[in-house]
Amino acid sequence: MAEVLVLVDHANGEVKKPAAEMLTLARRLGEPSAVFIGPGAETAKDLLARYGAEKIYSVSDPAALESLVAPQAEVLAQLVQEKQPAAVLIPSNSGGKEIGARLAVKTESGLITDAEDVQAGDSGPVTLQSVFAGSYTVNAKVTKGTPIICVKPNSATPEQAAGAGAFEELSVSISDEAKAARITASEPRKSSGRPELAEAAIVVSGGRGTGGDFSPVESFADSLGAAVGASRAAVDAGWYPHSSQVGQTGKQVSPQLYVAAGISGAIQHRAGMQTSKTIVAINKDEEAPIFELVDFGVVGDLFQVLPQATEAVKGK
Amino acid sequence: MNIVVCVKHVPDAQSERGFNEDNTTDRDGVDGLLSELDEYAVEQALQIAEAGEGEVTVLTVGPADAADAVKKSLQMGADKGVHVSDEAIAGSDAPATSLILAEAIKKVGSPDLVITGMASTDGTMGVVPAMLAERLGLPQVTYASELTVEDGVATIRRDGDTASETIQASLPALVSVTDQINEPRYPSFKGIMAAKKKPVEEWALADLGVDAGQVGLANAWTAVEQTTKRPPREQGTIVTDEGDGGTKLAEFLTTHKFV
C-alpha cells in the first residue's frame, strides 16, 4: 500500500489533536507516515505510532522552523519526490495552507484546502468542503500530481490503531531562498488555560452585546471546558484579540457546540461558524439573524442568562 | 518604490451565491465587486507610496467585469491598472491564477513589493499569495496586521495562534494583509474623476507568454465533482427569557449531553 504523508502539527513535541485525526483519515487512503519537523520528535513518537503511523520522518534542523513555511514545503517536496505518496495531509490552518500552496507549485500537484472529510475514491481521495458561508458543500478531487489536502480540525474522530512507528531522521537541504523571511521577535500569548479555538469541541463566543465585558462569556466557557471566541465587532472594538476572531477573516470553527452570545450573526460571522454541529445563541434582539441558525436560542440579556446557565451547569 | 497590488472581482458575499452546471461559480445576476479584503491591500500600498516615492499598479485577472475591481482601486488612488482577460482563463484554479499573476507581475516590471489581501471573499482558500511568492522566488510574509518598509526591509507584525510575531524580509517581497491593518478609504469625487484618465493595460494570455493549455477549467489540477446546496437548518427552539432563560439553556445542553 502506498504511503500517505501526514504533516504533524505540534508545539515542541506536544502533538496537537488534528494530527491524530489526520492519521485516522490517512488510514483510509494508505499507510500513514508522520512527518515531524522541529524539536521534540522523541516525545511525540509513541503517540504517533499509537494512532497508526507506520513510519515517522523527523527533521530536527532548527532552520526548518525558524524561517516560516517555505523550508517545511521544501522538506515535504523532497519526501514527495522520494516516496511518491498516495496523498499528503496537512493541517488546514494559515501556516498549513501556505505550506500546501508552495508544495503544490513545487510538485505540480493539485491542492484542496479546508477539507472536512476525506474518503478513498476510485481515482484518489475525494474531499468534502463547505463554501459560500456554509450554504453549499462541495466534493472535489485532485487530478494532477500528488493529492495535497489541507484538513480542518474536528474532521474525524481519532481512532487508535497501532502502527510500527519506524523512526527515520532525515537530512534535508534547505535553500537560502526558503530562509529569506525570518521571525525576528515573538511574544508568546498568555495562556488562558482554555482549549485552542480552532480545535475545541465547544466554543463560546461574545460579540457587540457584551459591551466589552467578556467575563460572563468566559465563566460560561469555563463551566463547559470550552474555548472563547469573539465576533469581528468585538475584536475591532479592542475587547478581544484578533487571534480569537471567529468568521471569514478570522478562524473558521466547526465544533460540536457553538454558543453565540450577543452576536447578531452577520454573513461574515456565519461563514466562520455555520458548520458547527449544534448552535446556540443568546441575544436581546429577537430579530437577530443568528436565530435563523440555532438549535436553541434565548431571547434575553446575556448578563442575566449566562451567569444563570453557568451556575446550572456547575451544579450538574 | 514600485508596488503591485493583486485584486479580485468577486460575487457580493451578501447575495445568494451558487454554481453553474460545470461546477464553476455562477456569476450571472450576482453583483460583483472588489473583494473586500483587497481594499486593505490597496489602502496599504497607497499609504506606503504616499509616505515616500512610489507608484502603485493594481493588477487583476478575470472576465470583462473584473475591470470594475481595477476601476475601484484607481478611484481610491492607485496610479495605473492592468487587467488580464482571456476566454481561456475561465474556471482557472489557484495554481493557474498564480501563474498568470506571476507572469503579469514580471511584465509590469520588477516591483519592490507585491501586496495582496489575505484571501478572496469568494474562494477564501488564501493560498494564492504563497503560490505567487513561490513562483516569483520572493520571500513571503503573510497575514500582516502591521507593515512598515524601511531601508529595503519589510517588517510585519502578525497574530499567530500562540504568539504575536514580528517578521522581516528584504525587498523585493510579497506581503498579504488582514483586515486589521488599516481602514480603507472611500474614493473621493476627485479620485473618481481622476481615475477616468488613468492608464489601464488590457493583456491577453499571449501577451504574457502563457499557454492556454496551462490554465482554465479543463487544465485545473483539481476538479469539483459535485456541489450540494445545504438544506436549511430546521427551525430550532427559541425561548424568551422570563427569569429562567439560563436554566432552560442548561437543560438543553444537558439533554444533548454537552454537560
Side-chain angles (χ1 to χ4, degrees), chain A residues 126-204:
Chain A
V126 179
T127 62
L128 176 111
Q129 299 99 258
S130 296
V131 297
F132 296 153
S135 57
Y136 278 81
T137 58
V138 158
N139 294 108
K141 63 176 185 183
V142 166
T143 52
K144 185 164 195 285
T146 301
I148 302 168
I149 301 166
C150 294
V151 182
K152 282 176 90 166
N154 293 320
S155 294
T157 308
E159 286 162 19
Q160 299 202 5
F167 196 80
E168 196 177 319
E169 178 73 37
L170 295 185
S171 63
V172 291
S173 55
I174 292 164
S175 70
D176 288 341
E177 192 183 291
K179 298 175 191 166
R182 307 181 325 277
I183 300 171
T184 55
S186 182
E187 203 182 299
R189 192 173 306 291
K190 229 198 269 166
S191 171
S192 64
R194 298 188 180 101
E196 269 191 49
L197 183 55
E199 302 162 11
I202 303 179
V203 174
V204 182

Side-chain angles (χ1 to χ4, degrees), chain A residues 98 102 130 139 249 276 308, chain B residues 140 142 179 225 230 233 246:
Chain A
E98 292 181 3
R102 286 190 168 250
S130 296
N139 294 108
T249 60
S276 304
Q308 189 179 62
Chain B
Q140 146 206 355
T142 48
D179 56 357
E225 294 201 307
R230 202 184 279 271
R233 280 185 174 262

